[in-house]
Amino acid sequence: MGNTGSSSADHRFATASRAFTQKELEDLKSLFVSLAAQSQSNGHFISPSVFQAYTGLHGRLGERMFNLVTRERKDQKLTFEDLVIAKATYEKGTKDEIEDFIYHLLDVSNDGILGRSDLEAVLSEMLDCVFSSKDHELGLSNREEILDIYLNAATLSKDVEGCEKSMSPEDLRSWFTLLPSVRKFLGNLLMPSDLRIQVSQVPSLLHSENVNSAMIVLRKEYAWHIGGLLPTHELVEWKLLYHSTVNGLSFTTFMGNISIDEGPTVLLIKDTEGYIYGGYASQPWERHSNFYGDMKSFLFQVYPKASIFRATGANNNIQWCGVNFNSESIPNGVGFGGRVGHFGLFVSDSFDQGHTFTCTTFGSPCLSKVSQIYPEVIECWGIVASGKQQERVDALRGTVLERFKEDRHMLNMVGVANSSE
């Protein structure tokens, strides 16, 4: 009877070990030996301080992770068996097993109630990890604002007598759907901090010298949120192609500027209500008389709350780009989702008005305070995929014939080259 607990632990370790290849187990053993040596434990265990230095997790989140990995023994000793069992669940488990682990991890107060204060503590430490370099330091007011936009996306539906409302496991899954950048960060906490920074990469935002940085709506925190759904090679550089304050509220200028770059783009709108939202377009903006695009595109909100809305597959009405059409059934402007006259997001070619409605294409709500929108600032950012920088430079050095083709392509997009259409 006295060996029951030990037998149970041995069984869990044996089961967890089967989740790894022999090479992976050997690598885990090497990692453990290295960290145990740093812990000066004669190779027996990893100390809390060494574990936190390795993961880059400090404060309440680091303490909570250590307690979960050591199965809350409170002996301050992380064994090789602990490491294997934790990684098998957290990194090799099913989606439900991983999110159940994260659900308990977020309860940093360890009181069985995942409340707003727990989320705020975790998000604060997340911001410290992601925006830790001098280039990404956050001021106090910026920190509070960013915390709020993530917290505003959370639902806490679980009633707890005499306490603040709690987030249920279902609430957590919904929150992760809206905030893939947060889910990605929280799903990679047992890797070295330098590798996790690569997973939670913040794009470099590039713009010309004549653009005052204070005018730019897309902050690095917003870009990190939007980038949560994007592959790593699209998180290197984002280049400002159009800014309405600099270039004027001109649809023609917008189309001309973005024709330089044929990659994916991020369209961002700040309206007169103060709301900030937009869409990621995986395909170039080109003149079409109907919807086009693919399921990689999505809509998003960044202020006053952060959310991302993926394509649902309900229909193929992804991107809209109407240019110089003379039919009421083919509105001129750019948009995403929904249907003609009832888009998920649409900006008319006057660039001074548009609308946003509930949309089945992306499962998205009205993105602003009201459906009728009046843009105050419109920005479009071109995503420079990793390895494409030199290709972009070479393209700009094209021959006279290539430049003619580019000019012809732009005229086609604005509906001038083929006026007979």
Side-chain angles (χ1 to χ4, degrees):
M1 294 290 290
N3 294 325
T4 303
S6 177
S7 298
S8 175
D10 290 343
H11 175 72
R12 288 193 64 189
F13 174 66
T15 301
S17 296
R18 288 195 287 271
F20 301 94
T21 65
Q22 187 60 38
K23 177 64 167 60
E24 287 173 331
L25 281 175
E26 290 171 359
D27 289 343
L28 277 180
K29 187 64 176 180
S30 296
L31 172 63
F32 176 80
V33 168
S34 173
L35 296 180
Q38 296 173 47
S39 303
Q40 298 181 339
S41 67
N42 292 322
H44 296 305
F45 61 84
I46 301 169
S47 68
S49 59
V50 169
F51 175 78
Q52 291 181 13
Y54 169 76
T55 60
L57 300 176
H58 302 282
R60 297 173 69 188
L61 181 59
E63 292 172 3
R64 181 62 177 155
M65 176 60 90
F66 188 85
N67 287 337
L68 280 184
V69 173
T70 58
R71 292 168 281 171
E72 304 195 72
R73 286 193 309 273
K74 309 298 184 185
D75 60 6
Q76 304 296 293
K77 297 176 181 179
L78 193 159
T79 66
F80 178 62
E81 289 76 11
D82 291 332
L83 185 63
V84 171
I85 291 170
K87 277 186 165 284
T89 302
Y90 179 64
E91 296 179 351
K92 298 281 191 175
T94 65
K95 182 174 181 290
D96 287 343
E97 288 172 338
I98 294 170
E99 293 188 347
D100 182 64
F101 185 99
I102 296 174
Y103 181 78
H104 289 92
L105 172 65
L106 297 184
D107 179 18
V108 292
S109 57
N110 196 21
D111 59 1
I113 301 170
L114 181 48
R116 186 181 175 93
S117 59
D118 291 309
L119 297 179
E120 188 169 354
V122 170
L123 289 172
S124 182
E125 293 186 39
M126 178 191 75
L127 294 179
D128 286 339
C129 291
V130 175
F131 302 100
S132 58
S133 71
K134 290 183 179 180
D135 291 337
H136 292 153
E137 285 180 354
L138 297 176
L140 179 60
S141 61
N142 284 350
R143 173 182 291 275
E144 292 176 350
E145 180 180 307
I146 298 302
L147 286 175
D148 281 342
I149 68 171
Y150 288 123
L151 289 169
N152 290 342
T155 299
L156 285 77
S157 65
K158 190 175 177 181
D159 289 314
V160 182
E161 187 175 350
C163 301
E164 62 176 335
K165 281 207 168 190
S166 176
M167 176 179 270
S168 69
E170 292 74 22
D171 294 335
L172 180 68
R173 293 187 185 95
S174 297
W175 195 51
F176 282 163
T177 299
L178 297 175
L179 302 176
S181 57
V182 175
R183 172 62 180 84
K184 187 187 294 185
F185 174 84
L186 293 173
N188 290 283
L189 296 181
L190 284 182
M191 64 170 53
S193 57
D194 56 339
L195 292 180
R196 190 174 61 249
I197 289 172
Q198 296 176 28
V199 173
S200 295
Q201 188 169 347
V202 182
S204 294
L205 303 180
L206 310 178
H207 58 81
S208 59
E209 293 181 356
N210 68 320
V211 178
N212 186 336
S213 297
M215 298 164 47
I216 293 176
V217 176
L218 183 64
R219 295 162 49 168
K220 55 188 174 291
E221 300 86 8
Y222 298 163
W224 182 69
H225 160 59
I226 297 166
L229 271 189
L230 302 182
T232 303
H233 68 270
E234 291 190 9
L235 298 175
V236 181
E237 293 179 352
W238 294 6
K239 181 181 179 182
L240 183 63
L241 303 176
Y242 170 84
H243 191 291
S244 58
T245 303
V246 176
N247 304 116
L249 282 170
S250 167
F251 187 52
T252 302
T253 303
F254 170 84
M255 292 300 299
N257 284 12
I258 65 174
S259 70
I260 299 171
D261 193 297
E262 295 190 350
T265 52
V266 173
L267 180 68
L268 191 72
I269 297 168
K270 179 180 180 182
D271 66 24
T272 54
E273 296 286 347
Y275 282 59
I276 305 173
Y277 45 86
Y280 164 84
S282 61
Q283 299 297 314
W285 292 104
E286 298 175 334
R287 185 176 189 262
H288 286 265
S289 60
N290 207 335
F291 283 99
Y292 70 105
D294 60 42
M295 296 297 168
K296 296 177 184 177
S297 297
F298 56 85
L299 289 176
F300 60 80
Q301 296 169 305
V302 294
Y303 186 84
K305 75 175 180 178
S307 299
I308 283 180
F309 306 99
R310 302 164 171 83
T312 62
N315 56 57
N316 295 316
N317 300 348
I318 306 297
Q319 280 180 245
W320 179 274
C321 186
V323 184
N324 285 347
F325 288 106
N326 296 312
S327 170
E328 291 186 3
S329 64
I330 310 176
N332 293 315
V334 292
F336 293 85
R339 62 181 188 275
V340 171
H342 200 279
F343 290 88
L345 175 61
F346 179 78
V347 182
S348 71
D349 63 350
S350 65
F351 260 32
D352 61 357
Q353 63 179 309
H355 64 251
T356 169
F357 290 102
T358 300
C359 165
T360 57
T361 308
F362 298 101
S364 56
C366 168
L367 300 176
S368 185
K369 186 176 182 180
V370 292
S371 293
Q372 185 70 26
I373 62 171
Y374 300 95
E376 183 177 291
V377 179
I378 299 175
E379 295 177 358
C380 189
W381 294 79
I383 293 178
V384 183
S386 177
K388 295 294 184 181
Q389 290 91 336
Q390 188 59 46
E391 291 180 22
R392 184 178 43 153
V393 171
D394 292 341
L396 293 175
R397 295 175 181 167
T399 64
V400 172
L401 177 59
E402 287 169 337
R403 289 177 183 273
F404 170 77
K405 288 178 179 178
E406 289 176 2
D407 292 341
R408 182 75 176 175
H409 178 59
M410 188 183 78
L411 291 174
N412 278 327
M413 286 202 305
V414 298
V416 174
N418 299 310
S419 55
S420 61
E421 287 186 6

